[in-house]
Amino acid sequence: MGKMRKLLSKSLKPLTLYALLVLMASIPAYYYLVDSIWQRELDEHNQIIAYRTAQGLNRLHLSNEALSESIQLWNTIQPGTNLRRLTGTLSRPDSTYTVLRQNPYTEQKDIDRFRGLSRIIQIHGSSYELIIETNIEETEETVAAIAIVTFFFFLVMVIGFLLLNKRLSARLWKPFRSTLARLKTFRLSSQSPIEFEQSDTLEFEELNDALSKLIAQNISVYASQKEFTENAAHELQTPLAIIKNKLDLLLQQEPLTDRQYRIIEEANRALTRITRINKNLLLLAKIENHQFDDREAINVRLLIEHCIEQLKEHFDHKKIPIQTELTDITIEGNKILFEVLLNNLLLNAVRHNREYGNVRITLHPSGIIFANSGSSALDGITLFKRFGKLTGPNSGSGLGLAIVKEICNRHGWQVSYRFEGNLHTFSVVF
Amino acid sequence: MKILIIEDEYELAESIAAYLSESSYLCEFAPTAGEALNKIEAYHYDCIILDIMLPDGNGIRILEAIKRMDKQDGVIIVSAKDALDDKVKGLQMGADDYLTKPFHLAELAARIYSIIRRKQFGNANTIQQSELQIDLLAKTVSVSGEPISLTRKEFDLLMYFMGNKNKVISKSTLAEHLSGDFADMLDNHDFIYAHIKNLKKKLNEAGYGNYLKTIYGTGYKWER
């Protein structure tokens, strides 16, 4: 099955990855946006300065010497601008550019980025080239700043996801968990449908609805199957009774030949077997129908002794001594069923045994062990199934151990089989 | 001896009657509860065989009516239901015995026999069979006044034969009688042979005639 994770944790990972991708893709986008706004603003700024410079110089009405002195002074004290006289009258459109330059005031490597404007201005009829450069944030600095902010928001997002996840999984999945918890306690054999908690989530309501329908259907199929078994078994009783009585009458038709007598006897024995299968099916149906649900205190030792007493002659007949080791204990259970359980196990111990074999019954406070001599191990899985092992001419009803198991289930006991030391060993743990 | 068979299944009722008639019982039928009530009211029966599931109502109703009428008829309930509470309820309502279908006719005959004995002879209930004397209450047996000791199962078998005189009883029928529900679970029914052998031996040693015959190898018959 692999490692199991919660559904919300499963969706968290791709969501986080997607958020990371989107945020990373946003970094260049933000950079280009910020950078172009910067450049536009700086271009505007440079143009205003160029315009003011030209106007200011024109308004001064300086002589040519004074003008060139002023320009020189201007160029010296005003960093980032440069005014240069051109020969002749020239006219060309403004040009803008970006340039990287080492910071002249420091020895370290410090490249600054500048946005420049080159414009031809006219002062007293002469053409000058005015260059204005303004410092602009470097690319890597902008990118770094945006990346830091983006990463911060990414962190905020992930933490938010985790917190939300925790809260959501508690709240959103609550109806689902309640449904699951109720499903887990559902037992088909108890025949009672589940009432699911109402939910305002469409999917969960659909789920509950579908489950309710499924369960109702199962219950009805189970009930009709059970009813069928019970009815079939019941309906069989009368024809079985008729056959049995007719055989009884046939037996009185003297004189019979020995062969005719044997045929009647064989038919009789087969009939007894059908009758038992029928009765056992009915018993199983009744156990499942809770017709044996009342409990009482049972003195186990006394009951075992009583059952042994009833069947002792059959053990004697096969020359099988019964060894017992019985502790005095009392358990809570249905006495009729418990007696059926003991009889079935005892009968198995005598039937699936050899002459001069042995049987040991041990009763201790936590359970009973029936061990009897045998030749080879039986299939421990099919053993307890209905009609699981029907071989040989004298295989009984094929339901004895299924009934034992059902009785144990009803009481919450464990029954198991193992073959050790040439002993068929059945143990019931209370 | 008059017997009323209250049973809606004709084949069953007819078989019961056929078996019992040979033993000098007079059988009448009532396939419905209504007919049964009319007959019970009008006549006296030594024993009533009552199928508890009738088409026109639960047989328990008939039991109640018998009780109301203060009738002393013996009642054996026969039912396809092997439900313990039905059995308890039936016996509490005054039925004398309860038999689950399917049953052997010999089993029914044996039970009818002991019910009639009990009902009619009360405390002084002794069966005299030639030189054999059986005290039903004390469960003792004597031959020509000489008591013989029988095991519980031997006594049980003897009573079974008393109820089925001149009938062929097969080994498997006896096995079902003695071991009840477990008969078919047993590999063989040879244990019957041991009980019969002992019973015969004890009777013969006490000087009782050989009335219990072996027939067809493994069948038995009490001839009188």
Side-chain angles (χ1 to χ4, degrees):
Chain A
M1 213 153 62
K3 210 178 111 203
M4 299 298 287
R5 287 189 305 152
K6 287 195 172 180
L7 184 63
L8 276 179
S9 324
K10 281 187 171 176
S11 61
L12 184 65
K13 198 175 162 189
L15 275 178
T16 310
L17 268 173
Y18 179 69
L20 183 65
L21 276 175
V22 169
L23 288 176
M24 288 223 306
S26 78
I27 295 174
Y30 279 128
Y31 163 70
Y32 283 113
L33 184 70
V34 169
D35 204 52
S36 67
I37 291 171
W38 258 107
Q39 285 193 13
R40 246 205 2 251
E41 286 305 307
L42 286 181
D43 286 347
E44 235 171 80
H45 170 81
N46 286 348
Q47 273 167 19
I48 291 167
I49 287 178
Y51 178 71
R52 278 208 202 126
T53 308
Q55 244 192 356
L57 285 172
N58 275 324
R59 218 181 276 151
L60 282 174
H61 303 293
L62 293 172
S63 66
N64 276 349
E65 285 84 47
L67 181 65
S68 59
E69 263 174 48
S70 296
I71 287 171
Q72 208 169 351
L73 183 70
W74 170 269
N75 281 341
T76 321
I77 62 162
Q78 188 79 339
T81 58
N82 187 36
L83 198 57
R84 183 167 63 94
R85 187 179 179 149
L86 299 171
T87 45
T89 353
L90 267 168
S91 171
R92 62 167 164 86
D94 297 349
S95 80
T96 53
Y97 60 90
T98 307
V99 70
L100 296 170
R101 215 170 270 133
Q102 167 67 33
N103 183 352
Y105 310 107
T106 171
E107 291 293 301
Q108 288 157 352
K109 190 184 175 203
D110 182 12
I111 309 279
D112 288 318
R113 195 162 72 119
F114 293 90
R115 184 68 181 166
L117 170 71
S118 156
R119 169 180 278 186
I120 308 291
I121 55 169
Q122 309 295 324
I123 303 170
H124 303 311
S126 309
S127 297
Y128 290 82
E129 184 197 29
L130 175 63
I131 292 171
I132 301 169
E133 287 182 352
T134 313
N135 188 277
I136 180 170
E137 195 67 40
E138 286 81 57
T139 310
E140 32 326 338
E141 278 173 20
T142 313
V143 170
I146 291 175
I148 286 167
V149 172
T150 306
F151 186 68
F152 170 73
F153 279 111
F154 174 71
L155 277 183
V156 169
M157 209 181 246
V158 170
I159 291 166
F161 275 170
L162 285 171
L163 290 176
L164 274 176
N165 207 18
K166 234 178 152 178
R167 284 199 50 192
L168 281 180
S169 72
R171 205 161 49 85
L172 273 184
W173 290 99
K174 205 179 139 232
F176 180 78
R177 289 216 184 86
S178 128
T179 299
L180 193 65
R182 280 167 207 214
L183 269 186
K184 278 180 184 166
T185 62
F186 177 68
R187 293 281 170 275
L188 188 53
S189 55
S190 77
Q191 293 280 287
S192 52
I194 307 179
E195 281 294 325
F196 290 113
E197 213 172 275
Q198 282 276 325
S199 155
D200 55 1
T201 311
L202 181 68
E203 286 87 344
F204 292 149
E205 261 314 283
E206 277 182 19
L207 178 72
N208 288 351
D209 220 44
L211 283 175
S212 293
K213 276 185 193 140
L214 186 72
I215 286 168
Q217 212 169 18
N218 270 321
I219 287 177
S220 100
V221 168
Y222 184 81
S224 68
Q225 198 181 337
K226 225 169 51 174
E227 207 181 281
F228 173 79
T229 314
E230 209 177 336
N231 287 345
H234 248 146
E235 289 306 314
L236 280 174
Q237 301 282 61
T238 302
L240 285 176
I242 293 173
I243 300 173
K244 196 165 198 157
N245 291 356
K246 295 294 173 193
L247 285 175
D248 286 342
L249 288 178
L250 192 57
L251 199 61
Q252 309 308 324
Q253 308 303 305
E254 287 180 89
L256 293 173
T257 64
D258 281 5
R259 178 155 164 67
Q260 284 166 335
Y261 171 83
R262 269 204 309 280
I263 291 173
I264 296 172
E265 268 294 79
E266 279 154 19
N268 230 329
R269 293 199 65 155
L271 195 61
T272 313
R273 197 162 138 199
I274 304 176
T275 308
R276 161 155 294 259
I277 292 175
N278 215 27
K279 277 187 179 167
N280 281 348
L281 281 175
L282 268 172
L283 178 64
L284 273 171
K286 280 182 189 165
I287 298 173
E288 284 171 350
N289 274 340
H290 302 273
Q291 288 176 24
F292 292 102
D293 272 3
D294 42 316
R295 300 275 191 269
E296 62 187 295
I298 304 167
N299 183 322
V300 185
R301 188 176 60 82
L302 286 184
L303 198 57
I304 291 180
E305 280 168 354
H306 168 74
C307 292
I308 290 175
E309 183 56 38
Q310 274 194 318
L311 293 169
K312 192 164 184 309
E313 65 172 314
H314 304 300
F315 285 91
D316 291 347
H317 195 78
K318 260 187 157 175
K319 320 264 187 318
I320 302 167
I322 307 175
Q323 304 166 39
T324 54
E325 195 188 316
L326 308 176
T327 322
D328 233 332
I329 64 157
T330 305
I331 57 162
E332 200 58 34
N334 185 286
K335 197 169 179 177
I336 298 168
L337 291 186
F338 193 57
E339 200 174 335
V340 170
L341 179 145
L342 291 176
N343 280 332
N344 284 0
L345 288 175
L346 269 173
L347 278 166
N348 272 345
V350 68
R351 289 178 65 224
H352 304 291
N353 209 334
R354 54 182 158 78
E355 271 203 5
Y356 299 102
N358 58 69
V359 172
R360 198 174 61 241
I361 301 159
T362 319
L363 173 66
H364 48 86
S366 59
I368 317 174
I369 299 168
F370 286 80
N372 67 274
S373 44
S375 47
S376 60
L378 304 165
D379 183 352
I381 295 163
T382 54
L383 207 56
F384 292 101
K385 286 199 173 139
R386 296 180 189 188
F387 305 115
K389 187 191 141 280
L390 273 180
T391 47
N394 232 311
S395 41
S397 73
L399 290 167
L401 284 173
I403 289 173
V404 167
K405 186 155 178 81
E406 189 64 38
I407 292 172
C408 285
N409 285 348
R410 283 288 142 176
H411 288 84
W413 302 333
Q414 294 290 323
V415 60
S416 60
Y417 165 80
R418 51 182 203 285
F419 187 72
E420 46 180 39
N422 278 331
L423 291 172
H424 293 301
T425 308
F426 287 90
S427 42
V428 176
V429 179
F430 302 139
Chain B
M1 296 283 175
K2 266 173 79 184
I3 310 273
L4 178 63
I5 304 169
I6 308 171
E7 166 67 71
D8 60 313
E9 199 69 45
Y10 173 74
E11 287 293 342
L12 274 184
E14 205 255 351
S15 299
I16 293 170
Y19 191 88
L20 294 180
S21 301
E22 292 168 15
S23 316
S24 71
Y25 288 114
L26 187 70
C27 295
E28 285 184 21
F29 302 103
T32 64
E35 262 180 79
L37 284 172
N38 287 340
K39 289 202 160 167
I40 291 167
E41 212 165 349
Y43 310 102
H44 164 78
Y45 294 97
D46 295 289
C47 191
I48 296 169
I49 299 163
L50 171 63
D51 182 351
I52 213 153
M53 295 197 320
L54 291 169
D56 60 339
N58 194 314
I60 294 283
R61 225 182 75 206
I62 296 173
L63 268 183
E64 286 167 349
I66 294 172
K67 214 172 180 182
R68 243 191 348 264
M69 289 183 256
D70 207 19
K71 289 263 183 183
Q72 292 307 304
D73 311 15
V75 179
I76 297 181
I77 295 175
V78 294
S79 169
K81 272 206 282 185
D82 187 17
L84 193 80
D85 49 340
D86 264 19
K87 192 169 181 171
V88 172
K89 201 168 160 193
L91 295 178
Q92 273 172 353
M93 290 298 301
D96 297 278
D97 212 340
Y98 188 103
L99 208 51
T100 309
K101 285 184 196 174
F103 50 80
H104 278 297
L105 291 173
E107 185 69 43
L108 180 67
R111 295 197 190 199
I112 291 173
Y113 180 78
S114 60
I115 283 176
I116 292 178
R117 295 294 315 183
R118 203 162 63 226
K119 286 265 169 191
Q120 292 183 349
F121 298 95
N123 287 336
N125 198 348
T126 315
I127 298 169
Q128 188 71 47
Q129 187 74 52
S130 314
E131 56 277 29
L132 180 72
Q133 199 175 34
I134 308 168
D135 186 333
L136 288 178
L137 270 176
K139 300 208 167 178
T140 54
V141 179
S142 54
V143 175
S144 316
E146 199 64 34
I148 54 171
S149 102
L150 296 181
T151 63
R152 198 170 52 77
K153 294 220 157 150
E154 285 157 8
F155 184 83
D156 195 350
L157 278 175
L158 183 62
M159 282 309 296
Y160 199 81
F161 286 121
M162 288 298 108
N164 288 283
K165 277 172 233 149
N166 295 316
K167 299 280 188 198
V168 178
I169 311 291
S170 71
K171 189 168 73 169
S172 69
T173 309
L174 284 179
E176 276 178 63
H177 172 69
L178 281 191
S179 58
D181 267 356
F182 311 127
D184 68 298
M185 302 289 283
L186 303 164
D187 292 336
N188 65 61
H189 293 157
D190 292 350
F191 66 99
I192 294 298
Y193 176 70
H195 288 305
I196 297 278
K197 199 178 76 184
N198 289 337
L199 176 63
K200 265 183 156 176
K201 200 173 133 204
K202 284 179 184 173
L203 290 175
N204 287 341
E205 277 172 1
Y208 190 60
N210 190 16
Y211 295 103
L212 182 54
K213 299 269 172 48
T214 303
I215 185 167
Y216 311 128
T218 61
Y220 302 97
K221 187 173 176 184
W222 186 281
E223 281 179 345
R224 186 186 53 146

